[in-house]
Amino acid sequence: MTEAQHPLDHLLRADRLPHIWCPGCGIGIAMRCLVLALEELGRPLDRVVVVSGIGCSARVAGYVRLDGFHTTHGRAIPFATGLKLANPDLTVIVFSGDGDLAAIGGNHLIHAARRNLDLTVICVNNFIYGMTGGQFGPTTPLAARSTTTPYGNFEPPFNLPALVAASGAVYVARWTVFHVRRLIAAFQEAIAKKGFSFVEVLSPCPTGYLRRNKLGEALEMMRYFKAQSEIRHGADPAEAGIEMGGKLILGKFVDIERPTYQERMRKQLAMFFIEPYAEKVREEIEAEEVES
Amino acid sequence: MKRGPAVLTGVHFFNGDVACAEGALAAGCRFFAGYPITPATEIAERMAERLPEIGGTFIQMEDEIASLSAVLGASWAGVKAMTATSGPGFSLMMENLGFGYMTETPCVIVNVQRGGPSTGLPTLVGQGDMMQARWGSHGDYETIVLAPSSAQEMFDLTIAAFNLSEKYRLPVLLLSDAVIGHITERVVIPAEEEIPIVNRKKFAGPREAYLPYLPDEDLVPPMVAAGEGYRVYITGLTHDERGYPSTSPEVQERLVRRLVEKIRRNARDIIRMEERGVEDAEVVLVAYGISARVAYRAMELARAAGRRVGWLRLITVWPFPEERIRDLATRVRAFIVPELNLGQIVREVERCAAGRARTIPVLRPGGAVHDPREILAIIEETFHD
Amino acid sequence: MFEELKRMESTGMKTEPAVPAQSRAARRSHGHVFLLAERCKGCRFCVEFCPRQVLAMSDRFNSKGYHIPIVIAEERCTDCKMCELLCPEFAIYVVRIEGEER
């Protein structure tokens, strides 16, 4: 046994490891699950693009050995929109954090879901702004302490699965970085799904969140994820809100069919133009017939 | 309906906004993302109508931030892309504009200027964003800004903007105004083969040899697109030649200097001006956009009265034609600078004149263009001093 | 302690088979655990969540000063890869060894 190389190093920019994340941070686990999911899916990796915004989770775009775009804060989804529409052959995955996607980028999140753009959005939710040192964010539970809620948070958080489901996402799931095998499967389903798919990944932030709230080390939160999770596939996402120390509802909440932005666009334009839209629509209809 | 032609060769009666959209299509633009805003909306409307005809993509985004983000994304997919807006939307684009300079992403941003600040005068003319175009995003960078003066130039300079953005790998700005955007006049679209098109320098070597930010002699690095197998990492963080983030002051120095130098060193290739009667002039009018047309009339009136007045129209506002103004400053008595703001480009003229010639502003904060007689009166004053 | 640290620095990113060679030969396990010690940040996830208690924390630490785990009972390893999957650092992995004839 002389392997001195991690079996996933070929999917990573291994020359950049160790990465910048703190000891016990779960983002590395979510990143592993992504590359494993991609490897097993067997999509041509040259055509997979990871787009991120700003923040700890957004650094993933620079560690995976894929085309990676580390864009501006909150703008990963619209950047990904441009990439995907300009080259529909690309598999475009947005990988970013809760603050990036749901606060500064919240408007883009709901509009991309409304359009049902064929994107996969992976949102690592660590309940806090980690990169800037532990300020509360759009997902911080009530009463949690942060550097900007020193007396406890009194802003109600977003329930992200409910938000994106209400906005029109066709695939919505939530797992934690403890549930690695489930997470890999969810990533695969989300990537394979046509349309706007969203996976929320709960993850410990030992430095910015746990320490300030006296919740112990990352390991404590992993134990919490293990002990307090309840898997309820098909649960109404509206009932999956998160309270500090409370039960965590996990699972695949939404998996429905709805025409994507591109499909609707082609169908609409095919009424006016022979090519290229009518051609595409005809091909699609034929392909569907072959399948059924 | 069948596929329409991308280049509408012929003589047209177009407004400036429509001419701009047609210029973009002629330049090879196949992606437009935008958000409705007066007085630039007609550009989006024209693109929404025309892009599907020729197999391009139009998307109306949720705001101007998203619009420019999508444009940058499309450019990295290898497609020429554009957005168009006016002051309030331009303000929202400043962050991603910086991302475009930092990541060296070719694209075109049109700002059909209206009176500001804030919501200001949505339907009326202004030229108050000239300095924002130069300095609006944070940090150090150089940009290219073109200022059309006619519907024809809305067509011509949009093509020039795409060509420059592809050549130097940066967002290029077309700073128009409400009058030029809405003026409806003759626009001649040449035959497709007569339109010079520049495409970005592509890297074609082996994957292992590619360093996304290793520049050529001209300081511009060859580009690839997402999905081509090069597995690039592109970040707005300060990055080395590999594209990897760095916090080293040396890397910052090397990168930011190059971003600035690739424009400064090539300023002669980039800068365009138009001059009339400058050779024997004692006084030179320096103007751009709609103000240049008004100034031209003022020059005609002054010439008719026997005054030796010249006219210099900035087609490229940034980089500023420093050399030309410095040179003229040694020969003329005064520069007169009419603009629809309370003193922006006049500062540049004054800086370059450096006291060798007087610099006289003729300023209005937007809402209406100058009366040529108002400029003429200032010209007369300089001859009486 | 200083000598130990120097030794670890000099090994760099090299793999550390954490079990003496002869004990490996004798066991009937299905997994061989490798640790890239220099990547480890000592989170202990691998130790805690190994279903067969193959790993333990050691009192050794790497050149960055993080305590690293050690394989204490590789013969119990079933190649379930839980440690590998849960490692945020890409620092630990398991290589399957075909079991001896049963």
Side-chain angles (χ1 to χ4, degrees), chain A residues 246-265:
Chain A
K247 267 231 166 307
L248 301 169
I249 310 296
L250 309 180
K252 179 163 72 176
F253 303 134
V254 177
D255 191 355
I256 56 170
E257 302 301 324
R258 196 161 78 88
T260 66
Y261 177 89
Q262 294 94 323
E263 285 165 349
R264 282 186 196 276
M265 178 185 75

Side-chain angles (χ1 to χ4, degrees), chain C residues 5-20:
Chain C
L5 192 68
K6 267 178 71 177
R7 195 186 63 75
M8 301 231 19
E9 275 172 0
S10 67
T11 58
M13 299 281 282
K14 278 196 203 110
T15 317
E16 303 239 332
V19 186

Side-chain angles (χ1 to χ4, degrees), chain A residues 1 3-7 9 12 17 19 21 23-25 28-29 32 36 177-178 181 217 219 222-223, chain C residues 15 32 34 36 38-39 41 43-45 48-49 64 66 80 84-90 92-93 95:
Chain A
M1 291 289 153
E3 284 121 306
Q5 239 204 334
H6 192 282
D9 274 4
L12 302 170
L17 296 180
H19 51 59
W21 299 308
C25 170
I29 302 176
R32 166 197 322 285
L36 275 173
V177 291
F178 174 77
R181 294 189 201 279
E217 297 181 288
L219 188 55
M222 293 294 271
R223 288 177 184 142
Chain C
T15 317
H32 183 22
F34 285 86
L36 298 166
E38 285 305 303
R39 287 186 184 177
K41 291 178 187 163
C43 71
R44 292 180 285 149
F45 294 176
E48 171 91 6
F49 298 111
K64 294 240 167 69
Y66 291 118
C80 80
E84 180 179 330
L85 286 168
L86 281 174
C87 174
E89 308 298 329
F90 297 82
I92 194 164
Y93 60 95
V95 174

Side-chain angles (χ1 to χ4, degrees), chain A residues 67-111:
Chain A
D67 281 326
F69 293 90
H70 182 215
T71 69
T72 46
H73 200 11
R75 317 305 168 204
I77 289 175
F79 187 95
T81 301
L83 266 176
K84 180 68 187 179
L85 291 181
N87 183 356
D89 291 341
L90 299 174
T91 297
V92 182
I93 299 163
V94 171
F95 194 116
S96 222
D98 51 302
D100 185 73
L101 288 166
I104 189 165
N107 199 33
H108 311 307
L109 178 70
I110 58 175
H111 283 279

Side-chain angles (χ1 to χ4, degrees), chain A residues 178-192:
Chain A
F178 174 77
H179 299 81
V180 273
R181 294 189 201 279
R182 308 268 194 173
L183 196 53
I184 294 166
F187 285 167
Q188 288 177 339
E189 287 181 357
I191 293 164

